[in-house]
């Protein structure tokens, strides 16, 4: 368990808010972890791990943890969003696409930081296959107190085939997603 500081950055109160990383802006890398998440386009540096392309268009950027040496085993990489205020816009959801492919895959934890401190709201562990998958989390169910930020914690696995990527992060209105097995 990695305890994160509650950092304050820009505040967002207009929705939907999205980040597909195609404008070259990433999230805010945390200084107290083992390294930085990176903006990348195309395949990651290593074979048999990571996505081949971004989720949005296939030719854009995504945000990822490179697990090649010295970034394993069990190294922590944390980044977080700006601060959000959804007090006037109930019914918002957090959604993002993630890619966790590799024999030595670690885990991706999603945290929410609010006036009560940090709470882990999701954990995805191990190889999820060579595809982008959707995570959809209803924020009204989380008993958020005050403004909040979302943090993504990638933990590399036992070897270099544990690149973790996310793309198309959004906070916005609920939407129908059909039959998905990755719903929180």
């Amino acid at each position: 368990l990695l305890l994160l500081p509650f950092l304050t950055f820009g505040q967002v109160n207009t929705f939907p808010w999205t980040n597909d990383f195609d404008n070259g802006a990433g999230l805010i890398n945390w200084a107290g972890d083992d390294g930085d998440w990176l903006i990348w386009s195309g395949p990651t540096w290593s074979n048999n791990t990571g996505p081949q392309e971004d989720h949005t268009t296939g030719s854009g950027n995504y945000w990822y943890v490179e697990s090649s040496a010295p970034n394993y085993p069990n190294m922590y990489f944390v980044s977080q969003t700006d601060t959000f205020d959804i007090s006037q816009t109930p019914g918002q959801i957090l959604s993002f696409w993630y890619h966790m492919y590799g024999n030595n895959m670690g885990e991706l934890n999603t945290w929410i930081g609010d006036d009560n401190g940090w709470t882990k709201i999701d954990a995805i562990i191990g190889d999820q296959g060579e595809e982008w998958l959707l995570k959809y989390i209803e924020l009204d169910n989380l008993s958020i107190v005050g403004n909040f930020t979302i943090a993504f914690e990638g933990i590399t696995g036992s070897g270099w085939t544990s690149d973790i990527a996310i793309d198309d992060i959004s906070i916005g209105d609920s939407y129908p997603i059909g039959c998905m097995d990755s719903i929180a």
Side-chain angles (χ1 to χ4, degrees):
L1 175 66
L2 178 64
L3 298 177
L4 308 171
F6 186 66
L7 305 174
T8 303
F9 299 98
Q11 181 171 312
V12 177
N13 57 12
T14 304
F15 301 96
W17 171 90
T18 60
N19 191 341
D20 64 9
F21 307 103
D22 289 346
N23 65 1
L27 300 181
I28 302 152
N29 277 304
W30 187 53
D33 59 358
D34 294 320
D36 288 343
W37 287 72
L38 307 169
I39 289 182
W40 201 253
S41 180
T44 63
W45 296 339
S46 308
N47 292 325
N48 301 314
T49 189
Q52 296 298 303
E53 57 193 20
D54 83 317
H55 172 263
T56 314
T57 64
S59 61
N61 299 326
Y62 55 89
W63 191 239
Y64 95 108
V65 169
E66 172 58 50
S67 63
S68 295
N71 292 344
Y72 72 89
N74 305 318
M75 304 291 277
Y76 289 78
F77 298 80
V78 183
S79 64
Q80 70 183 74
T81 64
D82 285 331
T83 302
F84 300 101
D85 175 5
I86 59 171
S87 62
Q88 302 303 310
T89 54
Q92 301 297 299
I93 59 99
L94 164 68
S95 65
F96 61 93
W97 290 82
Y98 65 94
H99 194 285
M100 296 174 65
Y101 167 61
N103 289 336
N104 302 120
M105 185 52 61
E107 63 187 272
L108 173 62
N109 298 312
T110 307
W111 296 78
I112 190 165
D114 65 5
D115 288 351
N116 285 329
W118 287 97
T119 303
K120 187 188 296 187
I121 58 174
D122 192 66
I124 306 164
I125 301 170
D127 183 5
Q128 303 296 308
E130 194 173 2
E131 62 186 321
W132 286 99
L133 299 168
L134 175 65
K135 182 56 70 175
Y136 182 98
I137 300 170
E138 296 178 6
L139 296 174
D140 285 352
N141 296 338
L142 300 178
S143 302
I144 297 168
V145 177
N147 297 338
F148 68 94
T149 184
I150 302 293
F152 295 95
E153 175 189 45
I155 305 173
T156 59
S158 60
W160 57 269
T161 56
S162 61
D163 291 352
I164 299 168
I166 57 177
D167 201 1
D168 297 317
I169 304 168
S170 176
I171 293 181
D173 291 334
S174 179
Y175 56 90
I177 57 173
C179 298
M180 300 293 294
D181 62 0
S182 63
I183 302 170

